[in-house]
Structures are given as C-alpha cells and as structure tokens.
Amino acid sequence: TAPLIPSGATVFAKIGEGLRRERFRMTTQETAIDNNLMAAIPRRTCDPRFLCYLLSTLGISDFAAGSALPYLRQSTLQYIECRVPSLTAQGAIGQVLGALDDKIAANTSLVAAADELAQTIYQQLIK
C-alpha cells in the first residue's frame, strides 16, 4: 500500500502535461497519491497554506527535465531558492490569499448565476 500524505501537504503533478499546468492543491486529510504526483510536506517552520501559494509562484515546470515527457525530480526542488518570511507573516499571507481566492470563487459563482438568469429572461422575452 502507498504511504499516506499528511493533511496540509501540497500535492502537484511531477510528470507530463499535468506538470506543465502547474496545479497545486493542499490536502485536507491524509491522502494516498500515485506515482504521477509529488507532495511537499511543510515543516514546523512553514505554514501549509503559505507553502501551497509559494509553490504556485515558483514556475516549477521550468525546472523539469525531458522534452517529450517532462518530469520533475524531487532532488531538483531542494535547489530552488526562495525567500520565506517568518511563520507569523506566512500565516497572515496565507489568510489574505485564501480570502481572496474565496472572494474570486464567490464572484465567479455570482457571474454564472447572473448569466443564467439573463439567459432565462432573454428566452422568455423572445417567445
């Protein structure tokens, strides 16, 4: 059986088109992943949400090897340099970015509902 990735880890693709798309998700519970994925597990000195946002800004696909089928080695990640603020600042940054993501999701949902309403009204008007 595969080892479980702990809650709060950031999971992302390490091979192929998934790697190029650079999608990152933070686990909310212990999770099993397959060999197409990699997980960054935060240490005590790193806020999990901050780590997820940080990884999404690094352009990790630029560090991939291989051309036809790009892949990322775990050993490559340890050489990516980045500045990391204090744990307190990381938590604050994660909270703000999380709140902005929540607001974007709410606005996207509102726009979709407004579009649907407009389509319904338009359909009723042209009958």
Side-chain angles (χ1 to χ4, degrees):
T1 64
L4 294 178
I5 304 303
S7 175
T10 297
V11 177
F12 52 97
K14 67 175 183 178
I15 191 167
E17 191 59 32
L19 171 60
R20 286 192 183 122
R21 291 182 186 255
E22 297 197 21
R23 294 182 181 148
F24 300 86
R25 296 294 179 267
M26 191 172 73
T27 59
T28 57
Q29 62 188 26
E30 286 189 329
T31 305
I33 61 174
D34 69 13
N35 63 350
N36 294 309
L37 300 174
M38 185 180 292
I41 301 170
R43 296 181 178 158
R44 290 183 184 156
T45 58
C46 188
D47 180 83
R49 187 184 278 184
F50 176 82
L51 177 61
C52 188
Y53 285 117
L54 175 65
L55 287 170
S56 71
T57 67
L58 296 177
I60 64 166
S61 64
D62 294 341
F63 297 93
S67 56
L69 186 62
Y71 59 93
L72 184 64
R73 290 188 182 109
Q74 183 177 349
S75 59
T76 302
L77 292 179
Q78 68 187 8
Y79 296 108
I80 299 174
E81 291 187 27
C82 56
R83 291 180 182 219
V84 179
S86 70
L87 188 56
T88 303
Q90 291 174 39
I93 291 167
Q95 273 191 313
V96 169
L97 293 177
L100 289 172
D101 278 347
D102 292 346
K103 183 64 174 166
I104 289 167
N107 286 346
T108 300
S109 179
L110 181 62
V111 167
D115 275 347
E116 189 175 313
L117 180 60
Q119 288 289 335
T120 300
I121 292 170
Y122 177 74
Q123 292 298 324
Q124 289 178 350
L125 289 174
I126 62 169
K127 286 185 180 180

